[in-house]
Amino acid sequence: MTQQGFPEVPEDRHPRRRAGCLGLVRDGHGRVLFVRTGYGRGLILPGGAAHPGEWFDAAARREWWEETGLHLEPGALLAVDQVPADPASGAAEGVNFVFDAGVLTPERAAALRVPTAAADEVAGYEWVHPDDFDTHPGLAPYTARRVRQALAARHAGRGLPLLHHGEPVTDGGAGTGPAGDDGNDYGSP
């Protein structure tokens, strides 16, 4: 059996990779929101794996809602991070897509609560300033590097558009669009 679009490659020979859809959420003090996992992986950006056939922006929205209870729109694609397989956990190699997910108002940030359905996966949240990335005990060095690169792209306006079969879903302009610093304070869920 072959996969549609690549008839010369048998379906069972296609590489298996994870696609992670992550969000760079910030507050007004320049801190970044991290999820403290309940399964011992330390602090990670909000988000998770796309299901087979799921668009990456839809996966990001779903994962952000499941992990934070927040309705956020993916903005510019800020970083693409290829990660190796993890023999210790059995995870396949993967690619993480980091989207700009905007700036939360102080009220919305203070109201952040772990959704009941996520209690086994999410132990809590932590806001970490980039100046503290290297010394924070819960932040893996590769996570710190990934987030720094996303922040640098955001600051420089180097976001990329996300496309669905060639059609733009996000405009790619870091600072414009649904999740940029364009005046939208994300005050409602």
Side-chain angles (χ1 to χ4, degrees):
M1 181 172 213
T2 60
Q3 183 154 332
Q4 185 177 2
F6 301 97
E8 70 282 2
V9 181
E11 188 172 315
D12 64 351
R13 301 284 308 264
H14 280 270
R16 303 289 182 224
R17 290 193 172 125
R18 295 174 291 124
C21 302
L22 312 177
L24 181 68
V25 180
R26 300 166 325 278
D27 70 4
H29 303 287
R31 298 178 303 173
V32 175
L33 177 66
F34 289 94
V35 171
R36 192 175 330 102
T37 66
Y39 45 86
R41 302 272 303 183
L43 298 178
I44 60 172
L45 288 174
H51 296 161
E54 185 177 30
W55 294 108
F56 294 154
D57 58 312
R61 279 187 213 93
R62 176 184 52 76
E63 284 286 343
W64 298 341
W65 168 251
E66 289 174 3
E67 290 186 355
T68 67
L70 298 173
H71 291 285
L72 300 172
E73 279 298 314
L77 180 59
L78 299 174
V80 178
D81 187 9
Q82 187 172 357
V83 295
D86 182 354
S89 71
E93 69 176 304
V95 178
N96 286 309
F97 299 91
V98 181
F99 293 95
D100 187 357
V103 177
L104 295 185
T105 62
E107 297 78 22
R108 198 149 181 223
L112 195 60
R113 299 288 181 268
V114 176
T116 304
D120 290 341
E121 180 182 351
V122 177
Y125 309 104
E126 208 166 318
W127 292 95
V128 181
H129 195 275
D131 292 345
D132 299 324
F133 285 0
D134 291 334
T135 58
H136 194 288
L139 201 56
Y142 69 88
T143 300
R145 291 189 299 267
R146 175 186 300 149
V147 176
R148 271 200 191 90
Q149 290 298 316
L151 286 167
R154 170 89 188 56
H155 181 72
R158 292 191 319 247
L160 297 173
L162 176 67
L163 307 175
H164 284 184
H165 208 69
E167 294 291 328
V169 176
T170 66
D171 67 7
T176 63
D181 291 335
D182 57 356
N184 188 344
D185 66 2
Y186 302 95
S188 62

